[in-house]
């Protein structure tokens, strides 16, 4: 007799139908809320992607790539600021109709959301015997609801494609010591410099071979771009990379880095860079120490999550669409909460604390920092505690999670299976 048919005495058909109805209502409610969350982002009208494509047209016409500039209401002037390797991969899209390019980028981002969410939550589902289809569907809908995802899609950004490369490397290739471990991180670093923090993570976790592979991959991609576009490559690495005025106003609320927080305190003056550097060193040291401890305990997800949060804090510019790393943080919190034993006072308190932190994090990243506020176009200081909190939510949340994110003990995949009845009626 099939194992699935053994569970009939556990619950009545009425209970099963009621549970199924609740699941359907939950999924439909989440799906119904998504359009309202995306409405504010529609004004972006794939703004960043259009800049990329205009820059590609400019470049294809024989102009220097990094001379491209267009006026902007908030930032004053916007340039093409990505490394030459990114331009090399973006250039073929310049010959396509813009509408088709938008469709391709949006579809790739949506696929990336589904794939990466499955990577994150499927182990949790299997360990705790949750209903697979329902839990995956809810998780994917919630990730689509998060502000960083909404901003990535409506601006036409490439962030989720980088996340695929990083997670594939650090969740699978590196822990399993695959030969190609490090390639994903290296390619992501060549495309956009932020992922370079994960090469540092490989070094502090003593994954020497993966760190070398990542560095060599990034260098090879960079040299390939230099061979194709030597003048633009030389200009980027010797000048444009260090021209901080090209990336936008650091005090703008959309910049959720530590430097952004300090810039909003001192606006319109520049913040104290010595103070910023001291804080950066402290955050790098503490955050990567915790990340290395997590990886050493076999908790690679917590390790890479802490590293992503560190990268967002220490980068001079961290736009809201860059901050994907709160999503795996919520997964870690929920997983650790489900591991706590609710039958003991200590376990019950731990579960409540972790679920409260997970829920609070989820609410903050769904409501967001810029989606429902117009912070204006002129530099403005944070004059009161409430405004300081609102304009720096992601910075403060990242600092909190850097301290409170739990490290989970390594689990064997061959754990004792959850009984069939429990699986069927979760």
């Amino acid at each position: 007799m099939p194992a699935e048919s053994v569970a009939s005495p556990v619950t009545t058909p009425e209970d099963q139908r009621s549970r199924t109805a609740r699941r359907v209502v939950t999924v439909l409610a989440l799906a119904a809320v998504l359009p309202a969350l995306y409405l504010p982002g529609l004004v972006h009208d794939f703004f960043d992607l259009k800049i990329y494509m205009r820059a590609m047209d400019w470049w294809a016409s024989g102009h220097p790539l990094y001379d491209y500039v267009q006026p902007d209401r908030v930032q004053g002037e916007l340039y093409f600021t990505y490394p030459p390797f990114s331009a090399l991969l973006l250039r073929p899209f310049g010959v396509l109709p813009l509408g088709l390019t938008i469709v391709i980028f949006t579809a790739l981002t949506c696929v990336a959301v589904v794939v990466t969410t499955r990577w994150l939550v499927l182990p949790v589902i299997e360990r705790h015997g949750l209903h697979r289809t329902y839990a995956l569907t809810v998780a994917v809908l919630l990730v689509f609801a998060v502000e960083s995802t909404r901003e990535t899609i409506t601006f036409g950004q490439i962030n989720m494609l980088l996340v695929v490369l990083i997670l594939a490397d650090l969740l699978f290739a590196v822990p399993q010591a695959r030969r190609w471990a490090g390639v994903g991180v290296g390619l992501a670093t060549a495309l956009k410099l932020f992922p370079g923090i994960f090469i540092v993570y490989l070094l502090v976790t003593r994954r020497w071979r993966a760190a070398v592979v990542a560095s060599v991959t990034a260098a090879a991609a960079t040299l390939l771009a230099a061979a194709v576009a030597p003048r633009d490559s030389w200009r980027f690495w010797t000048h444009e990379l260090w021209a901080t005025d090209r990336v936008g106003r650091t005090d703008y609320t959309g910049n959720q880095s530590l430097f952004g927080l300090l810039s909003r305190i001192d606006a319109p003056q520049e913040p104290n860079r010595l103070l910023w550097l001291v804080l950066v060193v402290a955050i790098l040291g503490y955050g990567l120490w915790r990340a290395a401890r997590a990886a050493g305990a076999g908790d690679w997800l917590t390790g890479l999550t802490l590293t992503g949060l560190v990268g967002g804090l220490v980068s001079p510019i961290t736009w809201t669409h860059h901050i994907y790393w709160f999503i795996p943080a919520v997964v870690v919190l929920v997983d650790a909460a489900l591991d706590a034993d609710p039958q003991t006072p200590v376990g019950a308190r731990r579960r409540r604390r972790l679920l409260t932190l997970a829920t609070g994090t989820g609410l903050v990243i769904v409501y967001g920092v810029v989606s429902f506020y117009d912070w204006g176009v002129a530099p403005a200081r944070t004059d009161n505690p409430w405004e300081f909190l609102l304009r720096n939510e992601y910075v403060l949340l990242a600092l909190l999670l850097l301290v409170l994110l739990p490290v989970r003990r390594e689990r064997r995949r061959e754990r004792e299976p959850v009984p069939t009845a429990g699986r069927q009626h979760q």
Side-chain angles (χ1 to χ4, degrees):
M1 180 183 295
E4 288 81 358
S5 63
V6 177
S8 55
V10 178
T11 58
T12 66
E14 290 76 12
D15 291 335
Q16 186 65 27
R17 285 194 293 269
S18 176
R19 184 176 289 110
T20 300
R22 289 196 299 271
R23 288 170 178 162
V24 171
V25 168
T26 301
V27 169
L28 291 177
L30 286 173
V33 168
L34 281 179
L37 292 172
Y38 273 82
L39 282 175
L42 295 181
V43 299
H44 301 327
D45 193 25
F46 303 99
F47 186 77
D48 289 358
L49 184 55
K50 289 179 178 178
I51 290 180
Y52 305 157
M53 294 303 102
R54 289 168 188 153
M56 294 305 102
D57 289 342
W58 169 270
W59 193 27
S61 299
H63 300 97
L65 174 61
Y66 296 102
D67 276 354
Y68 178 79
V69 60
Q70 72 177 52
D72 180 66
R73 182 179 73 94
V74 175
Q75 305 291 357
E77 292 182 331
L78 292 175
Y79 301 83
F80 184 84
T81 58
Y82 284 179
F85 183 62
S86 289
L88 204 63
L89 297 187
L90 287 170
R91 185 157 180 173
F93 292 98
V95 302
L96 299 178
L98 179 61
L100 178 58
T101 299
I102 289 172
V103 169
I104 292 172
F105 270 69
T106 303
L108 288 175
T109 297
C110 291
V111 170
V113 167
V114 174
V115 169
T116 54
T117 304
R118 187 178 185 275
W119 288 348
L120 294 178
V121 304
L122 193 57
V124 180
I125 291 170
E126 292 177 345
R127 279 197 295 269
H128 300 289
L130 305 177
H131 189 284
R132 181 168 176 158
T133 302
Y134 171 67
L136 275 174
T137 303
V138 169
V140 168
L141 290 173
L142 288 174
V143 173
F144 272 113
V146 170
E147 183 181 60
S148 62
T149 308
R150 303 195 312 260
E151 295 276 288
T152 293
I153 290 174
T154 55
F155 271 112
Q157 273 283 344
I158 65 171
N159 303 304
M160 282 307 304
L161 307 181
L162 302 179
V163 168
V164 169
L165 292 171
I166 294 167
L167 292 187
D169 227 354
L170 298 182
L171 286 181
F172 304 107
V174 172
Q176 297 169 15
R178 298 288 180 85
R179 287 187 175 183
W180 53 274
V183 170
V185 168
L187 287 174
T189 302
L191 287 166
K192 201 170 184 178
L193 300 178
F194 176 93
I197 187 70
F198 294 101
I199 298 180
V200 181
Y201 170 62
L202 291 173
L203 291 172
V204 299
T205 56
R206 300 183 179 183
R207 296 287 173 146
W208 310 118
R209 186 180 189 282
V212 170
V213 170
S215 301
V216 169
T217 301
T222 300
L223 289 173
L224 173 63
V228 175
R231 291 183 180 178
D232 291 302
S233 294
W234 177 261
R235 177 172 169 180
F236 177 82
W237 294 107
T238 61
H239 183 266
E240 307 306 338
L241 175 61
W242 317 102
T244 56
D245 58 320
R246 292 177 61 92
V247 294
R249 275 179 31 218
T250 59
D251 67 281
Y252 177 58
T253 304
N255 178 22
Q256 288 293 303
S257 67
L258 181 64
F259 194 75
L261 180 148
L262 296 175
S263 297
R264 288 184 283 276
I265 292 175
D266 292 333
Q269 284 77 35
E270 283 281 311
N272 186 312
R273 289 183 178 268
L274 178 59
L275 172 62
W276 173 64
L277 287 173
V278 170
L279 293 174
V280 162
V281 170
I283 290 170
L284 273 172
Y286 176 74
L288 291 177
W289 170 73
R290 286 211 71 210
R293 289 191 64 191
D299 190 353
W300 285 92
L301 179 57
T302 298
L304 71 88
T305 301
L306 289 166
T307 304
L309 294 173
V310 167
L313 286 168
V314 303
S315 174
I317 296 284
T318 302
W319 301 125
T320 50
H321 50 77
H322 294 164
I323 313 177
Y324 167 83
W325 307 103
F326 291 127
I327 293 169
V330 171
V331 175
V332 169
L333 290 167
V334 171
D335 188 27
L338 293 176
D339 273 338
D341 184 1
Q343 304 303 319
T344 66
V346 173
R349 286 195 298 270
R350 176 176 170 81
R351 175 171 286 202
R352 285 195 300 270
R353 183 172 67 251
L354 291 172
L355 287 178
T356 299
L357 184 55
T359 303
T361 300
L363 291 174
V364 169
I365 63 178
V366 168
Y367 189 74
V369 176
V370 297
S371 293
F372 302 99
Y373 293 97
D374 183 0
W375 295 109
V377 298
R381 294 188 180 187
T382 46
D383 292 323
N384 59 72
W386 177 242
E387 188 174 274
F388 176 82
L389 179 65
L390 283 178
R391 296 184 68 189
N392 299 291
E393 284 180 344
Y394 289 168
V395 185
L396 301 174
L397 181 59
L399 290 170
L400 182 68
L401 290 172
L402 216 57
V403 176
L404 298 183
L405 199 66
V407 172
R408 304 159 301 162
R409 292 181 180 178
E410 183 176 15
R411 304 172 181 81
R412 292 176 177 262
R413 293 230 177 235
E414 310 80 38
R415 277 184 74 173
E416 182 179 344
V418 177
T420 304
R423 280 189 182 276
Q424 183 176 355
H425 295 286
Q426 281 288 338

